[in-house]
Amino acid sequence: MWEQLSRGPMTVGELAGLLPVSRPAVSQHLKVLSTAGLVSATPRGTRRIYAARREGLSMLRDYLDIMWRDGLAAYAAVFEQHVQETESSQE
């Protein structure tokens, strides 16, 4: 859904027409994306126009980069400890 919105703003009906899901499902998904800061909604009459927020994606990428960095650092520490323990038991 974010991919479609990255091409340009759309309404729930327009998005539902492109996807094999119901309008209520699209609305629920948009609510989650909006809460996460990945999309914005602009009221226009009785409809809301949704658009991708690239800065939201940048924030998500920063978060994932930190998560991977920390996860890999923790893995490296455990691996190093295992190597040291293995070397110690072979002596």
Side-chain angles (χ1 to χ4, degrees), residues 5 9-12 14 30 34 39-53:
L5 290 175
M10 295 184 191
T11 64
V12 171
E14 291 169 331
L30 287 168
S34 181
V39 300
S40 63
T42 305
R44 192 167 297 155
T46 60
R47 300 185 306 170
R48 296 176 72 82
I49 309 298
Y50 291 88
R53 291 187 66 242

Side-chain angles (χ1 to χ4, degrees), residues 29-73:
H29 194 87
L30 287 168
K31 183 177 179 180
V32 170
L33 291 174
S34 181
T35 300
L38 296 173
V39 300
S40 63
T42 305
R44 192 167 297 155
T46 60
R47 300 185 306 170
R48 296 176 72 82
I49 309 298
Y50 291 88
R53 291 187 66 242
R54 297 201 185 277
E55 57 275 6
L57 188 61
S58 177
M59 291 173 11
L60 177 61
R61 182 177 175 114
D62 291 346
Y63 169 78
L64 291 173
D65 287 346
I66 290 167
M67 186 180 73
W68 273 104
R69 182 196 65 211
D70 293 351
L72 290 174

